[in-house]
């Protein structure tokens, strides 16, 4: 992959990967770290080779997902000072939300995020990709190597799962 | 559906522009700088050189030291097998030209070993069976080395031939000493036959050396060892090797000198033979 292409890939997907990761984590700092780490690793593994990469975004999500898993594994081994977990994320969301709206909305966002965090990781991913990243059913089917029908069903189940938590 | 709408609110999760830019910069530096730190740069780094050096030291130094240490070993010692193996390797790796020279060198080694063994052993050789067995094996190797040397002497180049000649002379001398040291009767026959082998080699060497010269007449087929020796001396003088002899022509020492000087046989030691 060419270097310029890679930088363009970053520009296009960095916000999405960041969002994907920070929906699974609670600290901005960690989310930022893992996101940049994801891109560095992508470059190391795939960027340097001459071979063309088919679905670079799929690989990015994969790397990011693995980094999150590793992160939680490591975290389980240590005890961390627990700063108010929702604070930093919440502040970010608030910063982007129209302040004229009801303050409850911000609370709402936090609630959704928490709810999302409670469902299965596979369902989390499906929902993020479908409704936040705007992947089409067809695209997701290709990346996940499933039939479009299966993907639709997964989406349906994921939504139900989330609904229960809300 | 309400759930979906709620979900879509999460779209508002954005990274800070500062961080985004900073990371972009970092990535770009890394990605574009890689061009400079290419493979060849890595090769030049001192750590790589140190690594290569250490590896070479171990790979080359280790075996070399071992072989070197084994050179003075005698049969029965651990290192002797190393010596034998290294000799085999050298033999298989040698070009046809150098094989003869190599084998003659090994033959010389055998004599050294025999002499040392004789010096070391306190009891006379024929009373100690194990020792006698070892000695016999060395003598056998000695004969084999000479046989190989003889087989390949035809392929040796002129320069090689000269070196071989020097060595065979040396061996002949030492052979006398060795005969005295080893009292075993059956070995005396072996050693006598070995001497004949050496003469055969010398004869071939002379033929090889004289090949280029347009010396007329076939070499006498009934050459006995003395005249072969003499002729070799004469030839060696010509090519700038000083042969130190006694008055009877026995070679004691062989030295290389400037070609221009006329050499005179100098008597370093006078043996019991008369003037």
């Amino acid at each position: 992959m060419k270097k310029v292409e890679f930088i363009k890939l970053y520009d296009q997907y960095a916000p999405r990967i960041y969002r994907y990761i920070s929906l699974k984590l609670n600290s901005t700092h960690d989310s930022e770290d893992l996101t940049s780490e994801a891109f560095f690793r992508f470059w190391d593994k795939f960027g340097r080779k001459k071979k063309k990469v088919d679905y670079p975004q799929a690989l990015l999500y994969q790397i990011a997902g693995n980094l999150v898993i590793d992160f939680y594994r490591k975290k389980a081994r240590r005890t961390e000072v627990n700063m108010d977990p929702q604070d930093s994320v919440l502040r970010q969301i608030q910063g982007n939300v129209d302040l004229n709206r009801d303050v409850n909305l911000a609370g709402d966002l936090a609630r959704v995020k928490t709810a999302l965090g409670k469902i299965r990781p596979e369902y989390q991913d499906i929902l993020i990709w479908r409704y936040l990243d705007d992947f089409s059913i067809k695209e997701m089917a290709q990346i996940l190597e499933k039939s479009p029908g299966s993907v639709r069903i997964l989406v349906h189940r994921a939504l139900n799962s989330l609904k229960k938590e809300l | 559906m309400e759930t979906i709408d709620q979900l879509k609110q999460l779209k508002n999760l954005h990274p800070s522009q500062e961080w985004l830019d900073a990371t972009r910069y970092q990535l770009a530096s890394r990605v574009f700088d890689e061009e400079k730190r290419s493979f060849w740069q890595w090769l030049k780094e001192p750590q790589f050189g140190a690594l290569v050096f250490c590896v070479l030291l171990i790979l080359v130094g280790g075996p070399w030291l071992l072989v070197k240490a084994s050179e003075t070993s005698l049969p029965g010692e651990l290192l002797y097998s190393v010596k034998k193996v290294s000799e085999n390797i050298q033999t298989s790796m040698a070009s046809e030209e150098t094989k003869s020279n190599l084998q003659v060198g090994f033959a010389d080694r055998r004599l050294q070993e025999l002499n040392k063994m004789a010096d070391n052993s306190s009891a006379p050789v024929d009373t100690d069976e194990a020792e006698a067995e070892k000695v016999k094996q060395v003598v056998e190797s000695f004969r084999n080395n000479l046989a190989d040397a003889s087989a390949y002497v035809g392929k040796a180049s002129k320069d090689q031939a000269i070196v071989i000649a020097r060595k065979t002379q040396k061996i002949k001398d030492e052979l006398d000493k060795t005969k005295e040291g080893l009292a075993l009767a059956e070995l005396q026959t072996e050693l006598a036959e070995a001497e004949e082998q050496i003469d055969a080699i010398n004869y071939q060497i002379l033929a090889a050396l004289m090949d280029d010269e347009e010396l007329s007449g076939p070499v006498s087929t009934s050459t006995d060892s003395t005249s072969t020796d003499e002729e070799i001396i004469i030839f060696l003088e010509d090519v700038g090797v000083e042969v130190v002899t006694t008055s009877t022509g026995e070679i004691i020492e062989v030295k290389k000198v400037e070609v221009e000087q006329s050499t005179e046989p100098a008597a370093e030691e006078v043996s019991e033979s008369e003037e």
Side-chain angles (χ1 to χ4, degrees), chain B residues 15-193:
Chain B
S16 81
Q17 191 60 41
E18 259 176 44
W19 172 84
L20 212 54
D21 293 336
T23 309
R24 188 184 202 275
Y25 182 76
Q26 279 176 9
L27 272 174
S29 320
R30 166 79 111 84
V31 164
F32 287 103
D33 267 353
E34 270 184 1
E35 201 78 75
K36 299 166 197 167
R37 281 198 71 233
S38 67
F39 182 67
W40 303 115
Q41 291 288 335
W42 176 71
L43 282 182
K44 283 182 200 159
E45 271 190 61
Q47 286 138 327
F48 180 74
L51 178 71
V52 171
F53 178 71
C54 287
V55 170
L56 280 178
L57 203 62
I58 295 168
L59 289 179
V60 174
W64 181 79
L65 278 172
L66 187 64
V67 169
K68 208 69 188 139
S70 73
E71 270 176 24
T72 54
S73 62
L74 297 174
E77 290 174 12
L78 274 176
L79 286 178
Y80 195 68
S81 38
V82 174
K83 192 178 192 177
K84 280 197 277 186
V85 168
S86 90
E87 283 186 9
N88 285 341
I89 294 173
Q90 288 181 55
T91 310
S92 52
M93 275 178 42
S95 63
E96 285 200 338
E97 257 194 16
T98 50
K99 269 210 206 314
S100 186
N101 190 8
L102 194 64
Q103 288 297 339
V104 170
F106 290 161
D108 189 37
R109 274 196 197 174
R110 299 290 92 77
L111 276 186
Q112 306 290 352
E113 286 165 17
L114 286 171
N115 289 336
K116 261 198 248 166
M117 282 165 81
D119 287 341
N120 286 347
S121 68
S122 41
V125 188
D126 37 3
T127 51
D128 183 353
E129 257 197 48
E131 195 61 29
E133 188 56 39
K134 286 185 209 161
V135 170
K136 281 186 200 165
Q137 284 183 351
V138 176
V139 171
E140 196 185 319
S141 304
F142 179 58
R143 301 286 310 274
N144 288 337
N145 290 134
L146 288 177
D148 281 344
S150 176
Y152 281 97
V153 76
K155 307 270 176 141
S157 66
K158 255 185 88 173
D159 293 328
Q160 294 265 322
I162 293 170
V163 176
I164 295 171
R166 278 193 258 158
K167 288 190 187 173
T168 50
Q169 304 296 9
K170 184 182 178 228
I171 289 177
K172 267 193 112 168
D173 294 325
E174 291 184 350
L175 208 49
D176 286 334
K177 182 184 169 209
T178 314
K179 276 193 208 166
E180 276 173 46
L182 292 175
L184 282 176
E186 61 236 56
L187 290 182
Q188 298 296 336
T189 344
E190 293 273 332
L191 293 178
E193 287 177 12

Side-chain angles (χ1 to χ4, degrees), chain B residues 200-212:
Chain B
I201 293 174
N202 280 343
Y203 177 65
Q204 285 179 281
I205 290 174
L206 200 59
L209 289 176
M210 284 171 38
D211 216 33
D212 294 352

Side-chain angles (χ1 to χ4, degrees), chain B residues 2-16:
Chain B
E2 211 196 279
T3 318
I4 297 181
D5 292 331
Q6 285 186 302
L7 190 53
K8 285 199 173 172
Q9 284 173 346
L10 292 177
K11 274 196 179 185
N12 286 316
L13 210 52
H14 297 301
S16 81

